[in-house]
Structure formats: C-alpha cells, structure tokens
Amino acid sequence: MNSSVSIHDKKEFLKFFLDHYKLKQRECSWILKYVLNNDERLDQVSFVEDASNCPRAVEISATCIDAPPFKYTKDYVETTDVEQSFHDIRSIKAKHLYIQLNFKDNAICEPYAIVLEKNPFLSKEIADHETIKVEVEKLLQRCLYDFHYSKLRADIDKAIDLRDRSKFLQLSQQLNNLKAV
C-alpha cells in the first residue's frame, strides 16, 4: 500500500518537524532521518494522528507534550526499544509503516495537515470521533483567539477614553503579539 501523499511533501514536513521540535528520545531522530533520506522507504510511510490498530507503527513524541517518548508496534506487539525498532524498520522495507508524531499544536500545524492521512485500521466510529475531536479543538482555539482579541480591543478603547498612554501602548503590543500568532 503506497501513500497518497507525495514524497516531496513528506520530506518537507519531516525537515520542518526535525528543525522545530526536540524529541524526548534523541535516538528517535535516527528513524525520522532514515525515512527522510530514503525515498523508497518514505513512499511506504503514512503519517496518522492515531496509529492504533496499525500492524507496523511508530509513535514518537516531542518534549513539548505529555506523551510516551517512543513506541514501536510490529504485528501488534509493542516495544519501546528505539535501537531494535530502527534495525527492524531498516531491514523490512516492503511493509507499510504508519508514523504518529505527538507534538504541541499538531492540530493547527499546516505542514502536518498536508501529510496527514487517515488510519485505515481504525474503526469508522473511532475515526469519526477523532475527526470531531480535531474540529472541536480548532473551534475552541478560534473562540479563545476571538475572545482575547475582543477583550484587548475593548481594553484599548477604554485606555483611549481614559487617556492612559502607557496602558494603550501595552495593550496595543499585546494585540500585535496576538495577531502574530
């Protein structure tokens, strides 16, 4: 089973990920760099939000999130030994590999969204639940942003009415910072 995402997009995402996130286990980068530098292997990789029920899967976590550092599943047997897993991934090239990356703000990470695929081994109900969960998280983030934006605008208007220059400048900077996110 080949992935429907282009090798180029996967490479760009992996470069982005390795440049922007520190992994909980340094050795996990071996696996990601091996996949990144091997087009034939990369063609056999799918990035999924939840690697549950996949016959061959890797779960790798960045330091910015509370999740186990590493897990490798092969034929539904799990291990946390990165070196043995790396050897297994290199030696068995014909089988598809599913990669779950756990990192902060993955729900709003555009490079991740480009390469993200559905896990074909999840039941439809679980897959639907995960899709709903992602959409709810995005909606909550947007609502929080809108709330903070409106509150800052109201506070800025109040500072103008009170002719409080220092408060106005402080709140304006906060608003600019919020817009930059």
Side-chain angles (χ1 to χ4, degrees), residues 15 18-19 29 63 66 81 121 159:
K15 289 176 191 173
L18 290 167
D19 285 344
S29 67
T63 57
D66 184 28
D81 185 338
F121 299 97

Side-chain angles (χ1 to χ4, degrees), residues 37-85:
N37 294 312
N38 186 325
D39 287 357
E40 183 179 324
R41 190 74 199 109
L42 193 55
D43 192 40
Q44 294 291 319
V45 166
S46 290
F47 293 96
V48 293
E49 280 184 293
D50 181 356
S52 300
N53 300 327
C54 292
R56 283 189 75 221
V58 174
E59 182 178 340
I60 297 173
S61 297
T63 57
C64 58
I65 193 161
D66 184 28
F70 176 81
K71 181 172 71 174
Y72 176 66
T73 305
K74 178 184 173 190
D75 299 325
Y76 307 102
V77 176
E78 296 177 358
T79 183
T80 58
D81 185 338
V82 178
E83 290 183 40
Q84 180 60 40
S85 303

Side-chain angles (χ1 to χ4, degrees), residues 7-8 22 26-28 60 67 71 74 84-85 93 106 109-110 114 117 123 132 146-147 164 170-171 181:
I7 290 174
H8 173 75
K22 182 178 179 186
R26 176 182 56 85
E27 297 84 359
C28 292
I60 297 173
K71 181 172 71 174
K74 178 184 173 190
Q84 180 60 40
S85 303
K93 297 178 182 175
N106 65 357
C109 177
E110 187 176 336
I114 291 170
E117 298 182 71
S123 71
I132 291 169
D146 290 346
F147 170 78
D164 187 343
Q170 175 194 4
L171 293 169
V181 174

Side-chain angles (χ1 to χ4, degrees), residues 13-25:
F13 167 68
L14 281 173
K15 289 176 191 173
F16 164 83
F17 182 79
L18 290 167
D19 285 344
H20 288 83
Y21 294 94
K22 182 178 179 186
L23 302 178
K24 286 187 172 182
Q25 279 189 275

Side-chain angles (χ1 to χ4, degrees), residues 142 161 171:
R142 183 64 193 181
D161 292 342
L171 293 169

Side-chain angles (χ1 to χ4, degrees), residues 3-173:
S3 170
S4 61
V5 177
S6 76
I7 290 174
H8 173 75
D9 288 340
K10 291 178 190 179
K11 281 185 177 190
E12 290 302 310
F13 167 68
L14 281 173
K15 289 176 191 173
F16 164 83
F17 182 79
L18 290 167
D19 285 344
H20 288 83
Y21 294 94
K22 182 178 179 186
L23 302 178
K24 286 187 172 182
Q25 279 189 275
R26 176 182 56 85
E27 297 84 359
C28 292
S29 67
W30 300 346
I31 294 171
L32 297 178
K33 287 177 181 176
Y34 168 73
V35 170
L36 171 65
N37 294 312
N38 186 325
D39 287 357
E40 183 179 324
R41 190 74 199 109
L42 193 55
D43 192 40
Q44 294 291 319
V45 166
S46 290
F47 293 96
V48 293
E49 280 184 293
D50 181 356
S52 300
N53 300 327
C54 292
R56 283 189 75 221
V58 174
E59 182 178 340
I60 297 173
S61 297
T63 57
C64 58
I65 193 161
D66 184 28
F70 176 81
K71 181 172 71 174
Y72 176 66
T73 305
K74 178 184 173 190
D75 299 325
Y76 307 102
V77 176
E78 296 177 358
T79 183
T80 58
D81 185 338
V82 178
E83 290 183 40
Q84 180 60 40
S85 303
F86 179 56
H87 172 73
D88 190 67
I89 290 168
R90 284 189 344 228
S91 63
I92 305 173
K93 297 178 182 175
K95 292 195 177 181
H96 203 80
L97 179 66
Y98 296 87
I99 299 178
Q100 174 183 333
L101 296 174
N102 303 316
F103 59 99
K104 187 178 179 191
D105 296 330
N106 65 357
I108 58 170
C109 177
E110 187 176 336
Y112 186 52
I114 291 170
V115 299
L116 199 59
E117 298 182 71
K118 291 188 189 258
N119 176 347
F121 299 97
L122 284 180
S123 71
K124 180 160 176 43
E125 291 145 11
I126 293 172
D128 287 346
H129 174 72
E130 288 301 314
T131 302
I132 291 169
K133 180 180 167 187
V134 168
E135 293 301 317
V136 167
E137 286 174 5
K138 287 179 185 176
L139 179 63
L140 284 173
Q141 287 177 350
R142 183 64 193 181
C143 288
L144 283 172
Y145 175 87
D146 290 346
F147 170 78
H148 290 298
Y149 183 85
S150 296
K151 175 98 172 80
L152 282 171
R153 293 291 305 246
D155 290 346
I156 287 171
D157 289 345
K158 186 176 179 182
I160 291 170
D161 292 342
L162 296 174
R163 298 181 189 266
D164 187 343
R165 180 177 168 76
S166 64
K167 190 70 167 175
F168 169 78
L169 292 173
Q170 175 194 4
L171 293 169
S172 295
Q173 184 60 46

